[in-house]
Amino acid sequence: MTPAPERFEIRSDAAAGAAATEAASPFAAWPDRLRHAALVLLVVAMVLAMLTISGNLALAHAAIAFCCIVAAALVPWRLHDPAASRDEPARPDPVEQPAVGAVIAGMSEPAVLLDRAGRVIHLNALAAQLAPALRHKELAQFALRTPEIVAALREVAAGATARRVPFVEHAPVERWMEVAITPVEAPTTFGGRDFCMLMTFHDRTPLRRAEEMRADFVANASHELRTPLAALSGFIDTLQGPARDDAPARERFLGIMHAQASRMARLIDDLLSLSRVELSAHVRPDARIDLIPLLRQVIDGLEPLARERAVAIETELPAEPAIIAGDREELLRLFENLVENGLKYGASGGRVAVSLTQDAGPEGAPEWQARVRDFGPGIPPEHLPRLTERFYRVNAGDSRAQGGTGLGLALVKHILNRHRGRLLIESKPGAGATFTAAFPRPPA
Ligand SMILES: Nc1ncnc2c1ncn2[C@@H]1O[C@H](COP(=O)(O)OP(=O)(O)OP(=O)(O)O)[C@@H](O)[C@H]1O
Ligand SMILES: [Mg+2]
């Protein structure tokens, strides 16, 4: 039979510590005690029976003596739990066996084994790293002061089934964990069972980030679509009403409507391209592509924009072919985005340099590195890690004014991932920005 769980009270002040450790119910484990004393009681009963039969003891006296001995066996003589006191040596705990400790130490996630009062019996290195305040033989409630964890420990100790509660670590980086507290029955050396609680921590940060990104994406996409749509319906109202007979206004408004409709179409195109590239991310493109004519085609296509912005495009391309395994359409979009960004956001520098070199990658493997460098205002360092997020813009107003959707670099990153390539962004405010797309060179 399982002993009834002890009750303990959890308070956050230090004085509550003593109360929590003292507040066990000492009589709760009587079935275990009776079982342990069973052999002694049997011998006593036989001796008393022999004395009664031989006429040396009255039956009533023998019965009273037996009851007293049974009562004495049931009384917990150690009412004060020595483990609760720091001055006294701890009571040897059957679950402190090295094998149990080895199992906890070998778990792949942070894990802590607690006794029924919440004291730490075993903890692994991952748990000690996650919550350095957790100490052997001390109450976990004081190390993890989260109210949800404290309440869950109390519920599980009181007989509840497993509980899962959130635990957010704020420093050094924000991590969302889920703490699972599971009741465990460990065998004791007397053949009984001892109640403990297994607390494991599961990192839910990637899941949480993915959920946030999905929510942000839906919100951003709707916002980006709603803005031109609102402009379109506004102009339609105006054309149906006040500007109905105003020919010059009608011409102007139709021009704006055309630009807004193109912006919506471009946004939808970019979204579709992104999802297509994502869908085929696992299939590596295998067409043989020479990057030199491809880069020339991109530069020729963007010449009108370069002229409009008064920017000179300089090239430094090798004489021999630069062959990679790739997808032509995707590579065109990738370089269009990079060169167009240089022309749009780095126009003040007056020139954009496009170069292609052979280099060794981080693991020494040969790469083709295509570099697009501008000499404009550059990008402040705090924005660099987020530039490839969908809809992320350093200056949203400026980007929208230039007709940008904020999806260009997200698409660049996904195309490079599919080509097993890398994107490097280097920038110093005031000294322009360099975007390098590196592609593995296929074997000759
Ligand atoms: N060469 C650059 N110099 C300065 N800022 C840049 C440069 N390239 C990109 N950025 C910044 O990064 C942001 C994201 O660029 P991205 O190409 O993803 O979107 P976009 O250019 O705004 O839109 P799209 O590429 O869809 O037309 C830009 O809005 C701009 O603020
Ligand atoms: Mg762009």
Side-chain angles (χ1 to χ4, degrees), residues 266-267 270 333 336-347 352 372-380 383-384 386-400 402-412 425-427 432-435:
R266 185 155 174 230
L267 182 71
D270 283 353
R333 298 222 61 171
E336 266 164 21
N337 268 306
L338 293 184
V339 179
E340 194 187 279
N341 279 355
L343 295 175
K344 286 196 307 196
Y345 307 112
V352 166
V372 179
R373 180 169 182 204
D374 70 72
F375 301 83
I379 306 162
H383 294 287
L384 295 182
R386 300 197 58 192
L387 278 187
T388 54
E389 284 176 23
R390 287 155 206 226
F391 299 112
Y392 190 83
R393 293 183 264 217
V394 177
N395 180 338
D398 183 26
S399 159
R400 276 203 200 97
Q402 311 248 26
T405 61
L407 290 171
L409 289 176
L411 196 56
V412 166
I425 309 175
E426 295 156 276
S427 180
T434 306
F435 289 76

Side-chain angles (χ1 to χ4, degrees), residues 132-165:
L134 279 172
R135 298 267 152 70
H136 192 225
K137 292 215 164 67
E138 290 189 8
L139 288 170
Q141 296 86 314
F142 296 137
L144 310 163
R145 284 159 178 260
T146 321
E148 289 88 356
I149 297 185
V150 173
L153 281 171
R154 189 190 294 142
E155 284 165 19
V156 174
T161 51
R163 287 273 181 277
R164 283 176 176 271
V165 287

Side-chain angles (χ1 to χ4, degrees), residues 9 11 31 38 190 280:
E9 206 178 299
R11 292 185 232 141
F190 305 118
S280 55

Side-chain angles (χ1 to χ4, degrees), residues 44-308:
V44 169
M46 283 168 64
V47 171
L48 290 175
M50 279 163 61
L51 288 172
T52 308
I53 292 165
S54 63
N56 289 327
L57 190 65
L59 181 63
H61 290 166
I64 292 169
F66 186 71
C67 289
C68 289
I69 291 167
V70 171
L74 292 183
V75 169
W77 293 108
R78 285 203 303 180
L79 289 178
H80 176 66
D81 183 359
S85 161
R86 285 159 202 257
D87 306 330
E88 295 173 55
R91 173 166 52 103
D93 192 326
V95 286
E96 283 199 39
Q97 295 159 6
V100 178
V103 170
I104 301 291
M107 288 178 72
S108 58
E109 287 184 309
V112 188
L113 189 69
L114 307 164
D115 70 7
R116 66 178 69 198
R119 279 184 298 262
V120 175
I121 306 171
H122 292 291
L123 80 162
N124 64 9
L126 293 170
Q129 195 184 355
L130 179 74
L134 279 172
R135 298 267 152 70
H136 192 225
K137 292 215 164 67
E138 290 189 8
L139 288 170
Q141 296 86 314
F142 296 137
L144 310 163
R145 284 159 178 260
T146 321
E148 289 88 356
I149 297 185
V150 173
L153 281 171
R154 189 190 294 142
E155 284 165 19
V156 174
T161 51
R163 287 273 181 277
R164 283 176 176 271
V165 287
F167 171 64
V168 182
E169 195 193 26
H170 293 285
V173 282
E174 204 158 57
R175 276 168 85 188
W176 286 272
M177 315 287 288
E178 188 178 63
V179 182
I181 300 168
T182 318
V184 179
E185 282 193 0
T188 68
T189 39
F190 305 118
R193 303 191 85 66
D194 213 359
F195 177 87
C196 342
M197 296 180 280
L198 177 66
M199 181 160 67
T200 46
F201 295 76
H202 308 272
D203 194 352
R204 300 281 182 253
T205 316
L207 207 66
R208 169 92 184 213
R209 292 244 159 86
E211 271 169 25
E212 275 181 0
M213 276 170 70
R214 192 186 52 80
D216 281 357
F217 173 72
V218 173
N220 282 328
S222 340
H223 176 77
E224 293 294 330
L225 281 171
R226 204 178 296 127
T227 314
L229 200 61
L232 278 176
S233 53
F235 284 119
I236 290 171
D237 286 348
T238 316
L239 286 174
Q240 283 175 334
R244 183 191 292 266
D245 301 318
D246 184 344
R250 200 167 53 220
E251 274 311 300
R252 200 159 52 86
F253 292 163
L254 283 173
I256 300 172
M257 287 168 77
H258 183 259
Q260 295 295 342
S262 315
R263 186 172 153 200
M264 282 177 82
R266 185 155 174 230
L267 182 71
I268 291 165
D269 271 359
D270 283 353
L271 284 173
L272 287 175
S273 308
L274 248 176
S275 81
R276 250 196 313 271
V277 176
E278 268 184 308
L279 274 178
S280 55
H282 58 287
V283 191
R284 199 173 164 179
D286 56 4
R288 267 173 67 87
I289 307 284
D290 184 351
L291 288 176
I292 297 168
L294 190 124
L295 281 168
R296 289 222 165 89
Q297 182 180 339
V298 169
I299 293 165
D300 289 347
L302 287 167
E303 264 312 328
L305 180 67
R307 266 199 302 279
E308 187 190 306

